[in-house]
Amino acid sequence: MRILHSSDWHLGRSFHRVDLLSAQAAHLDHLAEVVRAEKVDVVLVAGDIYDRALPAVDAVTLLDEGLHRLVSAGSQVILSSGNHDSARRLGFNSRLLGAAGLHIRTDPAQVGTPVLLSDEHGEVAFHPLPYLEPALAAGVLGAERSHAGVLGAALQRVRADLAERPGLRSVVSAHAFVMGGAASDSERELAVGGLGQVPLALFEGVDYVALGHLHGRQKLAGQARYSGSPLAFSFSEADHHKGSWLVDLDANGLAGVEAVPAPVPRRLGRLRGELAELLTEARFAAHEQEWVQITLTDPQRPAEPMEQLRRRFPHLLELRLDPQRAGRASAAGYTEKIAGLPDLDVCCSFLEHVRGRTASPAETVLLQQALEAALIESMEGAPGSAYRDLAAMAAESPVSDAELQQLLSPKAPGRRGRSA
């Protein structure tokens, strides 16, 4: 059986305000051509089909057209929801679509029920795991309220199913941050405080593990790989080699994996230097038609730098300033200080920045709860207050009930009710 492993299409996403829909359409056409040329049996997409829970009409239309082309090219398509998708919306009508060769899995309650497909060697059990948000999936799966807990419980169900099908080849797809994977700047954090990583050992015993979420195509182990996003969504991905994996299964399991490069709409460039050299030196000529990020190092900010630079680099998308002054160390700006920090650390850092003292344990709990609520509310089906389930959070923290009650009280200093 031949499988094309893809993920993280993020249909509807832009790149520094550049519309990527035509590039995304070209990528779906490319996948259909690979299906025809390589006689692909199954296209497996490991989450983040859309870029947001309420996708634009153009993105929905593109997905409809793209999936039709893939099925018409001769493949079955298996896709599951990611942390950017609305599970309920993406999963609409999934039971009927399976009969047409499109298998959509978005419901945690379905975990452990495989998609069974056959080749000349017999059946292959595909277990496409949707993104499992701990706050939503822990109760359904009877698991600990953590990423490792819900994914571990899901894989227990997978193994229980495989135990009833001895000798069957197995493929698991999952949308998760697996330890050992290299992240970029364009993935949304899965858990407040950076606690969303899960151990690779959870996937032991599976013939192939098709991962989604991280945007760089990479190999974690012989059987576990990220396909990465087909397009770059941040300048941190300038050195990525975008594409998918072509996976072959024989009678004994995994027989081989081959990289399939994706079409590149425009290369990325990251340039650094003073304005005069960027405008004149020949070494920058190769970047003139790229999407570029430029960092200016002039000691004094030049006048109208964007306008001047765009005469040579018409696709300049981001301009940064890092003045290099002789005899004086460059003081990092606030944006630079918090770059790459988890959301909770950014909030606590801001609190310290504006008032001169660090967040107390009780305040940290409230910030963590508010951030977690925002993550859940960005997905469909989980409206609620930032203070919901605070008792459960408090039970896991050293903060006293008195401190929490004082902070949550309507009479607490600085509180003006829910709108505050």
Side-chain angles (χ1 to χ4, degrees), residues 252-379:
N252 299 314
L254 184 63
V257 183
E258 179 184 346
V260 179
V264 179
R266 193 180 296 277
R267 294 185 60 83
L268 306 186
R270 291 181 292 183
L271 312 181
R272 180 182 177 89
E274 294 193 2
L275 180 63
E277 60 183 349
L278 286 161
L279 292 175
T280 59
E281 291 193 6
R283 61 191 173 101
F284 297 115
H287 303 281
E288 289 177 357
Q289 295 306 313
E290 296 177 344
W291 281 324
V292 292
Q293 172 198 78
I294 292 180
T295 302
L296 287 180
T297 60
D298 298 73
Q300 301 295 326
R301 176 171 179 158
E304 300 181 337
M306 183 70 86
E307 290 78 0
Q308 295 187 66
L309 287 165
R310 276 191 170 155
R311 294 186 192 116
R312 184 177 191 185
F313 306 100
H315 304 288
L316 169 60
L317 299 183
E318 184 181 10
L319 180 62
R320 297 183 173 189
L321 302 174
D322 183 19
Q324 303 297 302
R325 299 183 177 94
R328 176 181 160 188
S330 171
Y334 183 74
T335 302
E336 203 174 334
K337 289 178 182 177
I338 65 172
L341 291 178
D343 289 345
L344 181 60
D345 290 351
V346 171
C347 291
C348 292
S349 174
F350 177 74
L351 202 60
E352 182 177 3
H353 179 74
V354 297
R355 73 179 185 186
R357 62 182 175 85
T358 58
S360 71
E363 289 168 336
T364 303
V365 167
L366 288 178
L367 288 169
Q368 183 171 352
Q369 178 66 12
L371 287 167
E372 185 180 80
L375 282 173
I376 296 171
E377 290 168 11
S378 69
M379 305 160 64

Side-chain angles (χ1 to χ4, degrees), residues 65-372:
E65 294 173 350
L67 293 176
H68 180 264
R69 290 172 192 168
L70 291 173
V71 173
S72 298
S75 71
Q76 300 272 321
V77 178
I78 302 174
L79 59 84
S80 51
S81 52
N83 60 301
H84 280 251
D85 298 309
S86 162
R88 290 187 183 180
R89 292 182 178 88
L90 186 63
F92 172 75
N93 214 22
S94 57
R95 285 176 288 185
L96 290 176
L97 291 172
L102 173 59
H103 310 273
I104 303 176
R105 293 298 171 86
T106 64
D107 185 357
Q110 285 188 290
V111 167
T113 302
V115 176
L116 296 173
L117 301 176
S118 299
D119 63 6
E120 65 271 25
H121 304 298
E123 286 186 323
V124 177
F126 288 85
H127 282 274
L129 306 182
Y131 169 65
L132 300 170
E133 169 56 44
L136 302 177
V140 176
L141 298 173
E144 174 191 331
R145 195 168 177 262
S146 68
H147 283 270
V150 294
L151 191 56
L155 287 163
Q156 284 180 2
R157 292 192 178 193
V158 169
R159 289 193 177 87
D161 174 76
L162 294 176
E164 296 179 359
R165 309 173 194 274
L168 215 64
R169 293 161 295 165
S170 58
V171 175
V172 170
S173 67
H175 195 85
F177 191 163
V178 179
M179 292 177 183
S184 64
D185 292 343
S186 60
E187 299 106 4
R188 180 186 294 168
E189 188 180 4
L190 290 182
V192 175
L195 300 176
Q197 296 191 40
V198 299
L200 179 60
L202 290 177
F203 297 95
E204 286 180 358
V206 178
D207 289 307
Y208 184 73
V209 181
L211 296 171
H213 178 59
L214 299 184
H215 290 175
R217 187 175 60 182
Q218 54 196 290
K219 173 183 173 182
L220 299 190
Q223 85 284 9
R225 297 170 188 247
Y226 280 99
S227 65
S229 61
L231 299 173
F233 299 124
S234 72
F235 280 103
S236 66
E237 301 169 55
D239 297 326
H240 286 188
H241 299 285
K242 298 297 187 181
S244 50
W245 295 111
L246 195 60
V247 181
D248 283 309
L249 300 181
D250 61 16
N252 299 314
L254 184 63
V257 183
E258 179 184 346
V260 179
V264 179
R266 193 180 296 277
R267 294 185 60 83
L268 306 186
R270 291 181 292 183
L271 312 181
R272 180 182 177 89
E274 294 193 2
L275 180 63
E277 60 183 349
L278 286 161
L279 292 175
T280 59
E281 291 193 6
R283 61 191 173 101
F284 297 115
H287 303 281
E288 289 177 357
Q289 295 306 313
E290 296 177 344
W291 281 324
V292 292
Q293 172 198 78
I294 292 180
T295 302
L296 287 180
T297 60
D298 298 73
Q300 301 295 326
R301 176 171 179 158
E304 300 181 337
M306 183 70 86
E307 290 78 0
Q308 295 187 66
L309 287 165
R310 276 191 170 155
R311 294 186 192 116
R312 184 177 191 185
F313 306 100
H315 304 288
L316 169 60
L317 299 183
E318 184 181 10
L319 180 62
R320 297 183 173 189
L321 302 174
D322 183 19
Q324 303 297 302
R325 299 183 177 94
R328 176 181 160 188
S330 171
Y334 183 74
T335 302
E336 203 174 334
K337 289 178 182 177
I338 65 172
L341 291 178
D343 289 345
L344 181 60
D345 290 351
V346 171
C347 291
C348 292
S349 174
F350 177 74
L351 202 60
E352 182 177 3
H353 179 74
V354 297
R355 73 179 185 186
R357 62 182 175 85
T358 58
S360 71
E363 289 168 336
T364 303
V365 167
L366 288 178
L367 288 169
Q368 183 171 352
Q369 178 66 12
L371 287 167
E372 185 180 80

